[in-house]
Amino acid sequence: MGFSKNIIITGGAGFIGSHVVRLFVNAYPEYRIINLDKLTYAGNLANLKDIEDKPNYTFVKADIVDASQMKEIFDAYKVTDVLHLAAESHVDRSITNPMEFVMTNVVGTVNLLNSARDYWKGSYDKHRFYHISTDEVFGSLHNPEDFFLETTPYDPQSPYSASKAASDHFVRAYHNTYGLQVVLSNCSNNYGPNHFPEKLIPLMINNIQTGKPLPVYGKGENVRDWLYVVDHARAIDLIFHKGKTGDCYNVGGFNEWKNLDLVYLLCDIMDQKLGKEQGTSRKLITYVTDRPGHDLRYAIDANKIMNELGWKPSVTFEQGLAKTVDWYLSNSEWLQNVTSGEYQKYYSKQYN
Ligand code: NAD
Ligand code: DAU
């Protein structure tokens, strides 16, 4: 079967990547989707069980840090486009092990850029390199009136955001220097099914369910801007197909929450769903030492993607959070396999 595009999606076994892979595999049977993932602790092929047998889907276990492996993959699959999501993504881990973030997020991205530059040489106008980034590159907002715009200067504050900022700069440099046709997006905090339970929302859902303490960093006053992961995947689809080459797009749902208020809300939803007396789960809240250098507030101005590409979120926060909590409650096996480490044993047997 001939495909019109052979698209690599890096990090396709992770949280956001798996939603992007599913959307592309289902919506574009004419594209071959190659999910390129190293299967780190964050990669879980169980996220893609429903589409793994589709004729336009292929999984390749590979490390973007390995330059020769990347070259082989571009040759073998005649890659036409890249959607780059693979990254080390957890801020707390970047504080304990920054070098892993430099390797994957910076060196890995440059390896991919080199492979694309060399393989597409002479026909850059026919190919697209789409780099998926984060709002954390803009740093922390302190004035309540301010929002992150596409033009906001970069001011990363954690090893994670510094590594993502560096990768964004390399992507722009390859456009400017070699003419690679790139596009970028910077999104706010995602939530939804398949979110790894080290991140705030799934961690709280899991701990409420198992009656463990709910660790709130500092006083819980930091603010995050939450977007349902499927709406991020829809934005990625639009930007890949219609975004202007060389441009970047901020993606967010105008949905700011103070951490403590969000944890209260989750406690109340979970009490209701689990048939517990209201207030039961709030008693599990435990204030713990703050994250070093903890960014105070993120808030995206998403007007550019809304006005230029016609994107808007498909669900309200209330709907998205209800879908998310329901998903975790009815997928306790997924959660158990992840928290016990079982998921890694199963797939490492298949792919090592
Ligand atoms: P994740 O940690 O859930 O998944 C990352 C995936 O990348 C995993 O499947 C992992 O196995 C893979 N990976 C890691 N190192 C690799 C390597 N060296 N080679 C190949 N694969 C490797 O991350 P996520 O939350 O889904 O984030 C995906 C992307 O979106 C990241 O680039 C992140 O910076 C960005 N982003 C995330 C959020 C968010 O709220 N989660 C928001 C904005 C942007
Ligand atoms: O803004 C986009 C970013 O959002 C992405 O680029 C990152 O990959 C993603 O991990 C996320 O980063 P955050 O640091 O904002 O997400 P996290 O879920 O780790 O934390 C959300 C907030 O909750 C943050 O203010 C820290 C706080 N927190 C987190 C955890 C894990 C707690 O209070 N307790 C916790 O146990």
Side-chain angles (χ1 to χ4, degrees):
M1 180 165 167
F3 293 104
S4 60
K5 290 181 191 291
N6 299 318
I7 304 177
I8 284 184
I9 300 185
T10 70
F15 167 47
I16 302 171
S18 61
H19 288 276
V20 176
V21 166
R22 174 176 301 101
L23 188 158
F24 272 71
V25 165
N26 287 331
Y28 303 105
E30 68 274 28
Y31 298 167
R32 181 174 198 189
I33 302 303
I34 302 131
N35 172 9
L36 187 165
D37 200 294
K38 182 184 173 183
L39 297 183
T40 66
Y41 80 94
N44 184 353
L45 287 173
N47 295 349
L48 290 166
K49 261 193 169 347
D50 55 320
I51 57 109
E52 66 187 7
D53 295 327
K54 296 263 178 164
N56 63 335
Y57 172 73
T58 305
F59 173 69
V60 180
K61 184 170 188 240
D63 184 346
I64 58 169
V65 175
D66 184 335
S68 58
Q69 221 181 6
M70 290 308 104
K71 185 184 175 327
E72 276 169 32
I73 291 169
F74 270 75
D75 289 341
Y77 292 96
K78 302 187 168 47
V79 174
T80 58
D81 302 86
V82 173
L83 270 72
H84 178 35
L85 292 101
E88 285 294 335
S89 70
H90 191 40
V91 174
D92 294 332
R93 288 179 189 256
S94 82
I95 295 167
T96 44
N97 193 356
M99 195 48 87
E100 232 173 291
F101 286 68
V102 173
M103 292 312 292
T104 285
N105 300 359
V106 186
V107 177
T109 299
V110 176
N111 271 337
L112 269 179
L113 287 164
N114 281 340
S115 304
R117 181 200 56 193
D118 296 347
Y119 189 72
W120 298 336
K121 202 170 184 178
S123 63
Y124 288 150
D125 56 326
K126 295 193 176 65
H127 307 285
R128 183 154 257 210
F129 190 104
Y130 177 5
H131 180 61
I132 284 85
S133 192
T134 169
D135 62 355
E136 299 203 13
V137 298
F138 301 120
S140 186
L141 293 167
H142 291 277
N143 177 353
E145 329 269 88
D146 288 347
F147 284 87
F148 295 137
L149 291 161
E150 285 79 1
T151 49
T152 301
Y154 277 27
D155 186 22
Q157 299 293 321
S158 73
Y160 163 68
S161 51
S163 69
K164 289 295 292 188
S167 66
D168 293 12
H169 290 318
F170 271 103
V171 172
R172 288 198 178 91
Y174 273 58
H175 175 59
N176 188 51
T177 310
Y178 307 108
L180 209 62
Q181 304 288 287
V182 308
V183 65
L184 297 91
S185 57
N186 297 80
C187 188
S188 63
N189 287 62
N190 285 213
Y191 69 96
N194 303 113
H195 205 181
F196 197 85
E198 64 185 352
K199 309 277 168 68
L200 182 73
I201 291 183
L203 178 86
M204 293 297 164
I205 295 175
N206 185 36
N207 285 14
I208 292 169
Q209 231 183 326
T210 50
K212 290 193 196 131
L214 309 179
V216 170
Y217 296 170
K219 294 184 183 151
E221 282 173 351
N222 304 67
V223 173
R224 296 293 182 266
D225 178 0
W226 295 94
L227 181 70
Y228 192 55
V229 62
V230 172
D231 283 326
H232 187 193
R234 290 173 52 249
I236 289 174
D237 178 10
L238 261 183
I239 294 164
F240 176 70
H241 287 101
K242 303 210 168 111
K244 203 167 140 233
T245 297
D247 258 23
C248 64
Y249 295 84
N250 280 0
V251 187
F254 291 105
N255 179 40
E256 291 177 55
W257 282 81
K258 215 185 253 191
N259 290 340
L260 187 59
D261 292 337
L262 177 53
V263 175
Y264 281 152
L265 179 63
L266 280 169
C267 287
D268 297 348
I269 296 175
M270 289 291 282
D271 282 349
Q272 195 243 319
K273 299 256 182 203
L274 298 172
K276 291 184 180 167
E277 197 183 322
Q278 278 297 318
T280 309
S281 299
R282 287 188 183 208
K283 294 193 190 118
L284 296 170
I285 292 174
T286 312
Y287 295 93
V288 299
T289 309
D290 209 353
R291 172 184 281 173
H294 198 169
D295 287 339
L296 180 64
R297 171 174 166 253
Y298 304 145
I300 282 274
D301 181 331
N303 276 307
K304 179 176 173 180
I305 184 171
M306 288 176 157
N307 296 335
E308 287 186 16
L309 304 184
W311 173 88
K312 62 174 194 265
S314 66
V315 293
T316 62
F317 191 48
E318 209 182 13
Q319 291 166 330
L321 211 52
K323 276 173 188 267
T324 304
V325 169
D326 287 344
W327 186 86
Y328 280 95
L329 291 178
S330 51
N331 286 275
S332 46
E333 202 189 337
W334 181 93
L335 199 53
Q336 256 162 25
N337 281 340
V338 169
T339 47
S340 68
E342 203 52 40
Y343 70 113
Q344 284 186 308
K345 288 184 205 147
Y346 175 70
Y347 284 105
S348 61
K349 253 190 254 152
Q350 272 188 302
Y351 290 105
N352 276 342

